[in-house]
């Protein structure tokens, strides 16, 4: 990794979110970087409620959070299959850990990552099933309590390093495969990806279920929707209108209608309407 991502892929109406909350990404400790995308920190102090929307990445997140004067708590958020909406009001903060697709399994090796897909579970149930509840509560307070950003990052590092993730060659292999899907638009078919790895399509699907939590086809489509969403965001600014038919071909869709159907089903509106609304 060369530092946290700077793109806004997956965030619906990123400009509006950044105007409402303070959003940052931070790098984890060097020993954790092979497994993590980044930490993400959000603080808000709102005079009126606001709802944020995210098209989830194929990533597991661990989320430490506090809303107003409620007790702080933490959960493991498996890969979300649908648009994620979070209502924010008053004051609060969230400190999140976004794992690389395939990078969560070394921290919770007992079960396949697909067991957590679509689920939001107490952190102790997944990462610390035999842990000390008092120690867990102390760790949660250490993460969300400090106002100093560096102190929160250090507490996140301490929490994860204490879990002592063990190297797993299969996790490394899957993370490399997902990076290829994300960055190489020519990867369009599961069968072709499997062939390059010397696997059957079914074996590749089982590998992704165990280490990512969703199948490779879902990952391919989700990253393409992220890119289409980002292009629609850009079209809402000074950039010219997007050539949606051309983009559909670039992203591997059979035609523009296919892209529009997937985008609409995921985001809730067609891409052209989303770009107009951004203006």
């Amino acid at each position: 990794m060369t530092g946290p991502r700077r793109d806004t892929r997956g965030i619906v109406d990123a400009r509006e979110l950044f105007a409402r909350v303070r959003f940052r990404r931070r790098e984890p400790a060097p020993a954790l970087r092979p497994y993590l995308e980044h930490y993400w920190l959000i603080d808000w102090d709102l005079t009126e409620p606001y709802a944020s929307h995210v098209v989830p990445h194929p990533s597991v997140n661990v989320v430490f959070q506090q809303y107003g004067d409620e007790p702080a708590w933490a959960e493991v958020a498996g890969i979300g299959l649908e648009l994620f909406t979070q209502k924010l009001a008053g004051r609060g903060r969230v400190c999140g850990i976004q794992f690389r697709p395939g990078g969560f399994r070394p921290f919770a090796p007992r079960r396949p990552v697909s067991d957590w897909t679509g689920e939001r579970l107490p952190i102790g149930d997944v990462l610390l099933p035999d842990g000390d509840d008092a120690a867990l509560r102390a760790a949660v307070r250490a993460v969300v309590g400090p106002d100093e950003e560096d102190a929160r990052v250090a507490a996140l590092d301490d929490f994860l390093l204490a879990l002592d993730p063990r190297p797993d060659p299969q996790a490394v292999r899957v993370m490399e495969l997902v990076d290829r899907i994300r960055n190489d638009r020519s990867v369009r078919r599961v069968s072709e990806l499997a062939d390059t790895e010397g696997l059957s399509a079914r074996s590749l699907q089982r590998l992704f279920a165990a280490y990512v939590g969703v199948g490779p086809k879902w990952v391919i489509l989700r990253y393409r929707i992220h890119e289409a969403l980002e292009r629609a965001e850009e079209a809402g600014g000074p950039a010219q209108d997007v050539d949606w038919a051309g983009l559909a071909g670039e992203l591997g869709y059979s035609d523009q209608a296919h892209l529009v159907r997937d985008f609409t089903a995921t985001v809730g509106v067609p891409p052209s309407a989303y770009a107009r609304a951004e203006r």
Side-chain angles (χ1 to χ4, degrees), residues 92-106:
R93 70 177 39 151
V94 174
C95 303
I97 303 165
Q98 183 172 327
F99 290 82
R100 294 179 64 187
F104 183 72
R105 181 69 184 270

Side-chain angles (χ1 to χ4, degrees), residues 231-268:
R231 296 286 283 274
E233 288 266 356
E234 292 170 354
Q240 296 181 350
D241 287 343
V242 174
D243 174 7
W244 297 112
L247 180 61
E250 290 177 31
L251 298 181
Y253 285 93
S254 56
D255 52 31
Q256 181 177 347
H258 189 186
L259 168 61
V260 170
R261 284 196 300 273
D262 275 2
F263 190 102
T264 305
T266 305
V267 180

Side-chain angles (χ1 to χ4, degrees), residues 5 9 37 57 178-184 223-224:
R5 290 187 296 104
R9 292 187 180 182
E37 294 273 7
H57 287 252
V178 175
D179 280 345
R180 181 180 165 197
I181 292 171
R182 175 161 44 188
N183 297 315
D184 185 353
Y223 278 140
R224 303 307 174 248

